[in-house]
């Protein structure tokens, strides 16, 4: 079935959607994005994604394409038009196009490009991968220094996914100056002696919306959380590990660079956090 997508104020069949070949998102990856999950036909943590979107736009001196209320209306309409019960809404804002290519930003009155589309993902919450756990490899982190801005510059993370696939694994954690930064599309955590350890927020990692919610829920559940740097060797010696992201929620990690964690199955803390997150997020969904 052909999806209905949103492009600059219009709801269109995906086969009719177009943007300029001179759009800076296409030519220079001059764009930011957000992905919001849909469960039971409702948006998960839309407010958090909207706030982070504005921060990304502000950091890049990019104009907001519309108000938060208008964004919410677009999200809801796309979910309805495409009959999404479980899935994702992808949103992208680019600096737009003034009709040619130039390294210099276009004039301030150039309208940004706003594109949204849905992805139907039945079984998103009850993902079999979460019951099996993910196997990861470690790779060098060679991305630019502003990973806190959610840009569409995803070539190296994509390469990291492919490196993991070539190694027979599911994902990769990136290493910088000896310490784990994050996964290719997720935040990274280890658990040792019941304590959850994750890297503190900075320009070095994405300020994950799911990360924020999961750490709050872990604290409310009387779990101990420590935000500090950790090495890949420390991770290999952990009792368990996991990642968080908007599309995978809480995903247990069972192996790092060929080393099994614990008994090689999803650990109790990651499993419990996934249950809590899904339960609480559904209650708060809009």
């Amino acid at each position: 079935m052909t999806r209905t997508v949103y492009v600059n104020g219009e709801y269109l069949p995906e086969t009719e959607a177009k943007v300029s070949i001179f759009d800076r998102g296409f030519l220079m990856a001059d764009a930011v994005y957000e992905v919001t999950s849909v469960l039971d036909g409702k948006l998960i943590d839309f407010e958090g994604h909207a706030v982070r979107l504005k921060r990304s736009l502000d950091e890049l001196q990019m104009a907001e394409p519309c108000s938060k209320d208008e964004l919410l209306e677009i999200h809801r309409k796309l979910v309805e038009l495409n009959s999404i019960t479980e899935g994702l809404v992808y949103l992208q804002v680019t600096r737009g196009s003034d009709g040619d290519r130039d390294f210099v930003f276009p004039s301030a009155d150039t309208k940004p490009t706003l594109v949204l589309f849905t992805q139907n993902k039945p079984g998103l919450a009850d993902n079999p991968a979460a019951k099996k756990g993910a196997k990861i490899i470690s790779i060098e982190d060679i991305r630019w220094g502003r990973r806190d801005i959610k840009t569409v510059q995803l070539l190296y993370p994509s390469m990291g996914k492919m490196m993991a696939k070539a190694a027979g694994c599911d994902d990769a954690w990136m290493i910088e100056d000896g310490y784990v930064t994050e996964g290719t599309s997720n935040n990274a955590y280890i658990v040792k002696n019941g304590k959850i350890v994750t890297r503190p927020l900075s320009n070095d990692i994405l300020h994950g919306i799911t990360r924020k919610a999961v750490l709050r829920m872990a604290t409310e559940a009387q779990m101990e959380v420590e935000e500090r740097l950790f090495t890949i060797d420390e991770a290999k010696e952990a009792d368990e590990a996991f990642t968080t992201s908007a599309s995978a929620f809480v995903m247990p990690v069972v192996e790092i660079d060929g080393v099994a964690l614990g008994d090689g199955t999803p650990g109790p803390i990651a499993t419990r956090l996934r249950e809590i997150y899904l339960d609480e997020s559904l209650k708060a969904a809009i």
Side-chain angles (χ1 to χ4, degrees):
M1 188 174 105
T2 300
R3 283 177 290 187
T4 297
V5 302
Y6 178 94
V7 182
N8 293 333
E10 293 186 278
Y11 294 90
L12 302 164
E14 60 182 302
T15 52
E16 297 178 17
K18 299 176 182 178
V19 296
S20 170
I21 65 166
F22 299 111
D23 192 279
R24 286 179 61 89
F26 174 64
L27 294 177
M28 296 185 174
D30 190 358
V32 299
Y33 77 103
E34 287 289 337
V35 179
T36 302
S37 288
V38 178
L39 294 178
D40 196 24
K42 297 179 180 179
L43 299 165
I44 301 297
D45 214 340
F46 172 82
E47 176 70 21
H49 289 286
V51 169
R52 185 172 63 184
L53 174 65
K54 185 179 186 309
R55 180 183 183 276
S56 293
L57 293 170
D58 288 347
E59 290 295 308
L60 296 177
Q61 302 170 38
M62 198 180 295
E64 292 181 65
C66 63
S67 70
K68 183 172 66 176
D69 288 343
E70 288 171 321
L71 274 183
L72 177 57
E73 181 181 348
I74 297 167
H75 277 71
R76 283 176 164 165
K77 188 166 183 178
L78 284 176
V79 168
E80 178 184 356
L81 290 173
N82 292 292
S83 302
I84 303 297
T85 300
E86 287 193 343
L88 308 170
V89 180
Y90 177 90
L91 173 158
Q92 180 168 309
V93 183
T94 87
R95 205 178 300 273
S97 167
D98 61 1
D100 209 342
R101 180 181 183 275
D102 197 331
F103 277 84
V104 176
F105 290 174
S107 61
D109 61 354
T110 302
K111 289 185 178 180
T113 297
L114 175 62
V115 172
L116 291 91
F117 59 82
T118 59
Q119 292 179 294
N120 190 33
K121 302 278 188 180
L124 187 65
D126 192 26
N127 187 349
K131 297 178 175 63
K132 183 178 68 171
K135 297 180 180 181
I136 67 168
I137 62 171
S138 60
I139 61 175
E140 182 184 0
D141 196 338
I142 58 173
R143 298 171 298 163
W144 81 315
R146 291 303 306 273
R147 299 134 191 185
D148 56 307
I149 305 173
K150 196 170 177 69
T151 73
V152 300
Q153 299 177 53
L154 298 173
L155 178 57
Y156 186 65
S158 294
M159 293 174 69
K161 294 273 191 191
M162 296 308 295
M163 287 183 239
K165 184 177 180 180
C169 294
D170 304 293
D171 204 356
W173 279 5
M174 292 176 278
I175 314 298
E176 185 173 60
D177 298 328
Y179 296 99
V180 175
T181 50
E182 57 192 343
T184 59
S185 59
N186 43 58
N187 291 117
Y189 310 74
I190 60 173
V191 180
K192 188 68 176 179
N193 298 324
K195 181 187 294 184
I196 299 166
V197 179
T198 192
R199 190 180 182 107
L201 294 180
S202 69
N203 290 351
D204 297 329
I205 64 170
L206 183 68
H207 298 191
I209 303 305
T210 308
R211 175 192 185 278
K212 181 179 180 180
V214 166
L215 291 183
R216 173 179 57 80
M217 293 173 188
T219 301
E220 290 173 353
Q222 306 301 309
M223 297 179 183
E224 189 176 358
V225 176
E226 183 178 6
E227 295 185 64
R228 63 168 175 81
L229 304 184
F230 63 89
T231 67
I232 197 68
D233 287 337
E234 186 179 2
K236 292 175 186 177
E237 296 176 357
D239 300 321
E240 56 179 297
F242 61 93
T243 62
T244 61
S245 66
S247 57
F249 313 120
V250 179
M251 179 60 65
V253 170
V254 298
E255 181 183 295
I256 300 174
D257 286 338
V259 177
L261 305 186
D263 63 2
T265 63
I269 288 180
T271 300
R272 180 59 184 144
L273 278 175
R274 183 179 177 88
E275 293 172 351
I276 293 172
Y277 177 79
L278 287 170
D279 183 54
E280 293 299 318
S281 295
L282 271 170
K283 290 177 183 176
I286 60 175

